[in-house]
Amino acid sequence: MLYTVGEMAQLLGIAASTLRYYDQEGLLPFVERSRGGIRMFTDKDYAPLKVIGCLKKSGLSIKEIKAFISLAQEGDATLGQRLEIFRRRKAAVERQIAELQETLSLLEYKCWYYETACQAGTEDVVRTLLCSQVPDECRAALEKLDPNLE
């Protein structure tokens, strides 16, 4: 089946202008064009476009994605290089997830803190709690805020 830029963009959940930009930057050498130069996306283009989106979301620059696509076009001789790109991105995303998890823990603690203070009508009730009186799910975040707590 053939898709227009707009139809493929809708399938991918991105703006059509994003696909046009990717094409302009040389990321879509696999996409065929009509005699009139119109992009003709097919079902087989979906997976490579999803990979491009994944690499972009993982933090790779357009230039780096273009280098990856060039490697892919070279074939099996570049399998190891491509594997290494994905291993590096995976490690980077895992680091981001760990950082975001720490941020989420702190946000959860502060939500608990202010909910408790609001119910009491004062922060004093929370400030005077011992670390052991803080809910288990919030304690690690509190300890990161003040490592000298007992």
Side-chain angles (χ1 to χ4, degrees):
M1 183 167 178
L2 292 178
Y3 301 92
T4 65
V5 170
E7 290 167 338
M8 183 56 78
Q10 187 172 17
L11 285 173
L12 294 166
I14 61 175
S17 60
T18 300
L19 278 181
R20 289 186 193 97
Y21 175 70
Y22 287 171
D23 189 35
Q24 178 185 343
E25 292 298 315
L27 302 184
L28 309 180
F30 51 87
V31 174
E32 294 183 29
R33 289 183 176 265
S34 70
R35 287 185 198 152
I38 297 171
R39 296 168 199 89
M40 300 185 312
F41 293 93
T42 66
D43 292 324
K44 70 179 176 65
D45 296 325
Y46 182 82
L49 290 167
K50 287 296 276 185
V51 170
I52 290 169
C54 171
L55 291 171
K56 185 72 178 127
K57 287 178 187 174
S58 78
L60 235 53
S61 69
I62 295 295
K63 182 179 178 181
E64 292 167 318
I65 295 170
K66 188 173 181 178
F68 168 79
I69 290 168
S70 292
L71 289 172
Q73 289 188 305
E74 290 179 37
D76 290 346
T78 64
L79 284 171
Q81 291 169 279
R82 289 181 276 155
L83 172 60
E84 190 54 34
I85 290 169
F86 278 93
R87 283 183 174 158
R88 283 194 312 265
R89 291 320 313 147
K90 180 179 175 281
V93 169
E94 287 170 342
R95 284 189 302 274
Q96 289 173 325
I97 289 170
E99 291 169 4
L100 286 171
Q101 188 58 53
E102 191 171 314
T103 299
L104 179 59
S105 293
L106 179 57
L107 292 170
E108 287 171 341
Y109 165 71
K110 291 309 264 183
C111 284
W112 169 82
Y113 177 98
Y114 286 111
E115 287 167 359
T116 303
C118 284
Q119 288 172 357
T122 179
E123 285 185 79
D124 291 342
V125 73
V126 186
R127 288 184 187 138
T128 59
L129 290 176
L130 299 174
C131 188
S132 61
Q133 294 173 302
V134 172
D136 291 342
E137 62 272 12
C138 297
R139 200 168 299 136
L142 174 60
E143 289 168 351
K144 286 205 182 264
L145 288 174
D146 187 351
N148 297 318
L149 287 175
E150 295 179 19

